[in-house]
Amino acid sequence: MNYQELYKNSKESAVDFWTEQSKKIAWSKKPSSILSNDANNYPLWFEDGELNACYLAVDKHIEDGFGDEVAIIYDSPVTQTVKKYTFNEVKSEVAKLAGGLLSLGLKKGDTAVIYMPMIPQAAFAMLACARIGVTHSVVFGGFAPHELAIRIDDCEPKVILTASSGIEIDRLIAYKPLVDEAIALANHKPKKVVVFNRKLGAKVPFKKYDVDYHALVYGSEEADCLQVNSSHPLYILYTSGTTGKPKGIVRDTGGYVTALKFSMQHIYDAKEGEVFWAASDVGWVVGHSYIVYGPLINRNTTVLFEGKPIRTPDASTFWRVIAEHKVSVMFTAPTAIRAIKKEDPNGDFIKKYDLSSLRIQFLAGERCDVATLDWYREHIPVPAIDHWWQTESGWPMIANMMGVEYLPIKPGSAGKAVTGYDIRIFGENGQELGPNEEGYVVIKLPLPPGTLLDLWKDNERFKAGYLNKFPGYYFSGDGGFKDDEDYIFITGRVDDVINVAGHRLSTAEMEEIVASHHSVAECAVIGINDELKGQIPLALVVAKSGEEIEHFQLQHEVVKLVREQIGAVASLRDVVMVQRLPKTRSGKILRKMMRSIADGESFQVPSTIDDEAIIDEIRAVLQHDKIGCFK
């Protein structure tokens, strides 16, 4: 069946289509209800089915005779470590950790936060929670205590699982002091903190709530898999919101595993037993879907990589990993390829390695520019496939479905709608637009299995953010257009969330932090185009009257504030002092116009602007060659 036939079937006979896909999953109780509505009248898949995600990822393969196959390859150039775990070994580690969590009082329906670097124990922790019906919330280890505290207060975990340290290229980051500070900041206090001591020299202060990971695991009995309802929350994953408060995306179990199995085979074309590598982090949705659950459910060996595309030790590290572990399918962000290209423009490192195992390269996280695609195709003779999805979707929405049919690539387009997603382009008033007309990217309900169920304990915000703008449709928050062959082009966010190297961050939250500086009267943070990271934030600040502060001092202090409260991931490095900010007569700051000026794009002066003279002043500031991110 070709792409067009498969896509048509998924739209016209969605229930039959997903019934067939669900048969590829080993349910303990097969669903009789395929599509229904939940208590809030939102579509729900496989409502009465029962299963366990950890069983599907680990135990099933052992029962099928593949226990001695390698499940996880841990490759850590920052510690010069490579370690392989078979499915049998993963089961032992996970089942004992799950038993230990039960001994700490965790039970089905409880939540646990995982704040760990890219080490096997992070994956073990996720699977252990899934094994016993505990909903996990993984928090990216690059987030500062303030961010961690917000998430602790929202999901109220009984237990936090962490490690003694992470490693950022050539320096240790002590995690335990960060966790202790977050707990001190949070109103909710978890009962226990399980600490995996890596013994790398980081400071590990002891608190009364601490439990040693090793002692917990090796002193525990193995726990069996607990069967849960299909709609049971497998995890909560926080993504930036425009209000500054992160949104807790709730993912179900049955729909998610069905979608992941389908996507591994039909989008990524990953064959069972092959090595699949998603060069991301478990703290992001890619890590959940395509480092841990997706590959393992599809019986692929997954690579868990603790390093960077450059400087660990150099720009050859990706090619070394592919060659050494015989990677067949890889997934990374365009940012990583741009970083490698910058360090090795002629591809000299690539020539040193045998990359014959690699069949397909997938790119996602932010829009892939044509120059990056061209460079990759020039040096590596495999398809480089851009695709698009969100934390909310959990799996790709737009792609070239390589396991179905290879379609011609159009640079700048992420491909065509994935089966199950009825994607439309709407105008401001909800009218559907024609080919090459840019508008809002929306998806007709019901969304396919595996997409978000709700926001954690905040259904009103869920409806306001995703469903109310265009009733009957999911509002993606992105703008874009379709061409006359139904290829979809995503043009960027329509709200104030920016995408920094594949990480969605809230400019509203950054503004709150910048505004907290004692010398700042007013500020705006905008996302501007960056050759390496896709977008980076730029802060424009108006100093308080009478304040005598040098620009570089203010920049240093503001950058430090943002780093302390959000983390280095925010990548804020430029702060511009201005006399005033451009606004409408009603007082709304014209952020979109400033982004256009900074990026050198054309823009229309709003008729509601309160003073047109400000435009020339802002243009002069934003195009000044002394600003690090401008040329």
Side-chain angles (χ1 to χ4, degrees):
M1 185 178 292
N2 62 27
Y3 162 79
Q4 200 57 47
E5 291 174 320
L6 195 70
Y7 183 70
K8 183 180 178 182
N9 284 350
S10 75
K11 280 180 60 176
E12 296 180 355
S13 306
V15 170
D16 291 341
F17 182 88
W18 289 110
T19 298
E20 287 303 307
Q21 300 310 320
S22 72
K23 291 177 181 177
K24 299 176 183 179
I25 296 299
W27 302 77
S28 61
K29 177 188 174 186
K30 292 183 179 179
S32 59
S33 172
I34 304 301
L35 179 60
S36 57
N37 287 329
D38 66 13
N40 295 306
N41 204 35
Y42 185 71
L44 190 64
W45 291 95
F46 315 125
E47 181 178 10
D48 59 347
E50 293 181 3
L51 72 173
N52 184 278
C54 181
Y55 170 81
L56 295 171
V58 183
D59 300 56
K60 182 182 184 300
H61 307 313
I62 296 171
E63 292 176 6
D64 291 344
F66 300 105
D68 291 329
E69 281 194 0
V70 176
I72 296 173
I73 299 172
Y74 169 53
D75 191 306
S76 173
V78 293
T79 59
Q80 299 182 8
T81 301
V82 173
K83 187 170 182 179
K84 299 180 180 181
Y85 295 83
T86 65
F87 282 103
N88 282 324
E89 290 168 332
V90 171
K91 180 187 174 184
S92 178
E93 292 280 350
V94 169
K96 285 185 176 181
L97 177 56
L101 295 178
L102 289 174
S103 73
L104 296 180
L106 281 170
K107 62 183 185 302
K108 176 185 172 183
D110 288 337
T111 57
V113 160
I114 300 168
Y115 183 75
M116 282 188 167
M118 283 292 287
I119 56 177
Q121 289 70 28
F124 298 160
M126 295 167 70
L127 292 165
C129 288
R131 193 173 189 86
I132 59 175
V134 170
T135 300
H136 63 68
S137 184
V138 183
V139 178
F140 175 57
F143 278 131
H146 171 73
E147 290 291 308
L148 178 56
I150 292 172
R151 288 154 175 79
I152 290 171
D153 278 338
D154 197 64
C155 73
E156 299 181 328
K158 268 191 180 178
V159 171
I160 296 177
L161 296 102
T162 190
S164 54
S165 67
I167 303 179
E168 185 65 29
I169 299 179
D170 56 1
R171 66 185 178 92
L172 284 178
I173 301 173
Y175 275 32
K176 184 55 171 48
L178 301 178
V179 171
D180 291 337
E181 184 179 342
I183 291 173
L185 290 170
N187 293 316
H188 173 80
K189 307 299 180 185
K191 292 182 178 179
K192 297 292 182 182
V193 174
V194 179
V195 184
F196 178 78
N197 193 338
R198 303 182 71 185
K199 299 179 181 178
L200 297 175
K203 182 181 178 182
V204 191
F206 179 79
K207 299 285 185 179
K208 288 183 179 180
Y209 48 60
D210 287 347
V211 176
D212 181 73
Y213 181 102
H214 293 93
L216 182 68
V217 168
Y218 296 109
S220 299
E221 296 292 325
E222 293 191 2
D224 291 331
C225 293
L226 178 69
Q227 304 305 312
V228 299
N229 184 269
S230 175
S231 59
H232 177 78
L234 178 62
Y235 65 78
I236 305 160
L237 184 57
Y238 288 90
T239 184
S240 293
T242 56
T243 65
K245 180 188 175 185
K247 299 177 291 189
I249 303 299
V250 179
R251 190 82 64 214
D252 72 344
T253 302
Y256 186 52
V257 300
T258 301
L260 291 183
K261 179 75 173 179
F262 175 82
S263 67
M264 288 297 297
Q265 296 182 348
H266 291 82
I267 297 175
Y268 296 106
D269 194 29
K271 319 297 184 187
E272 292 183 356
E274 285 187 329
V275 180
F276 184 94
W277 179 25
S280 183
D281 189 284
V282 291
W284 307 111
V285 69
V286 173
H288 287 60
S289 296
Y290 297 113
I291 294 177
V292 181
Y293 291 111
L296 294 179
I297 287 170
N298 198 50
R299 194 168 62 77
N300 293 116
T301 300
T302 185
V303 178
L304 202 152
F305 176 72
E306 186 182 28
K308 301 287 184 182
I310 58 175
R311 295 180 63 198
T312 59
D314 53 38
S316 72
T317 191
F318 272 21
W319 320 127
R320 190 269 304 167
V321 171
I322 292 169
E324 186 173 322
H325 304 308
K326 307 301 180 190
V327 174
S328 295
V329 182
M330 187 188 175
F331 178 158
T332 191
T335 296
I337 303 302
R338 286 194 286 266
I340 294 169
K341 173 187 170 186
K342 183 175 181 293
E343 296 291 316
D344 185 27
N346 298 318
D348 295 329
F349 281 126
I350 299 171
K351 300 166 189 172
K352 297 180 180 181
Y353 294 93
D354 176 9
L355 304 182
S356 58
S357 66
L358 187 66
R359 294 191 292 108
I360 313 171
Q361 173 74 66
F362 283 89
L363 300 167
E366 76 268 359
R367 187 169 178 268
C368 186
D369 58 284
V370 175
T372 298
L373 276 175
D374 288 345
W375 182 87
Y376 190 94
R377 287 187 293 207
E378 177 185 351
H379 296 288
I380 301 179
V382 302
I385 307 299
D386 191 11
H387 62 318
W388 176 82
W389 49 297
Q390 300 174 319
T391 302
E392 290 85 347
S393 69
W395 62 289
M397 296 190 274
I398 302 171
N400 197 324
M401 299 184 68
M402 297 297 288
V404 178
E405 178 187 9
Y406 175 71
L407 299 174
I409 293 172
K410 289 191 178 184
S413 169
K416 294 190 176 186
V418 167
T419 46
Y421 291 98
D422 185 354
I423 298 178
R424 316 278 183 94
I425 308 297
F426 277 6
E428 186 65 45
N429 297 319
Q431 75 278 21
E432 188 166 1
L433 302 180
N436 301 305
E437 291 185 280
E438 185 175 343
Y440 297 107
V441 178
V442 302
I443 304 164
K444 193 176 189 301
L445 297 179
L447 296 180
T451 53
L452 77 171
L453 279 187
D454 203 341
L455 295 183
W456 184 251
K457 296 181 179 178
D458 201 346
N459 182 254
E460 288 304 313
R461 189 181 182 196
F462 170 61
K463 290 186 289 188
Y466 300 104
L467 306 179
N468 291 351
K469 186 173 179 65
F470 300 109
Y473 292 83
Y474 165 87
F475 173 48
S476 72
D478 277 296
F481 63 91
K482 288 184 185 181
D483 69 8
D484 52 9
E485 293 182 304
D486 285 332
Y487 280 79
I488 303 172
F489 295 74
I490 301 297
T491 55
R493 298 296 294 172
V494 297
D495 57 24
D496 287 322
V497 173
I498 62 172
N499 194 319
V500 181
H503 305 151
R504 287 181 62 194
L505 300 168
S506 168
T507 55
E509 183 176 15
M510 287 188 218
E511 285 184 5
E512 290 180 8
I513 296 168
V514 174
S516 71
H517 189 282
H518 59 83
S519 294
V520 174
E522 190 176 31
C523 69
V525 176
I526 59 174
I528 59 173
N529 291 336
D530 179 76
E531 183 177 343
L532 182 62
K533 296 189 176 184
Q535 282 185 302
I536 56 173
L538 170 71
L540 296 96
V541 301
V542 178
K544 291 179 180 176
S545 298
E547 283 281 343
E548 296 292 331
I549 185 168
E550 291 291 330
H551 168 245
F552 290 110
Q553 179 187 346
L554 180 62
Q555 175 168 279
H556 171 76
E557 292 175 0
V558 165
V559 168
K560 184 180 178 184
L561 269 177
V562 172
R563 181 179 288 263
E564 286 174 349
Q565 296 193 46
I566 295 181
V569 67
S571 294
L572 177 69
R573 64 174 186 260
D574 278 314
V575 178
V576 179
M577 293 180 71
V578 295
Q579 295 297 314
R580 53 192 176 140
L581 295 170
K583 299 177 184 179
T584 63
R585 291 183 180 89
S586 63
K588 181 181 178 182
I589 297 173
L590 296 167
R591 293 176 178 82
K592 184 176 181 181
M593 188 189 76
M594 289 192 289
R595 286 197 299 268
S596 297
I597 292 173
D599 293 335
E601 299 172 352
S602 60
F603 63 93
Q604 187 171 355
V605 179
S607 60
T608 56
I609 192 168
D610 64 347
D611 184 358
E612 291 192 25
I614 187 65
I615 297 174
D616 291 333
E617 296 175 26
I618 292 294
R619 182 186 284 114
V621 170
L622 293 182
Q623 295 178 348
H624 198 287
D625 61 6
K626 289 184 180 179
I627 298 175
C629 46
F630 299 102
K631 293 182 180 179

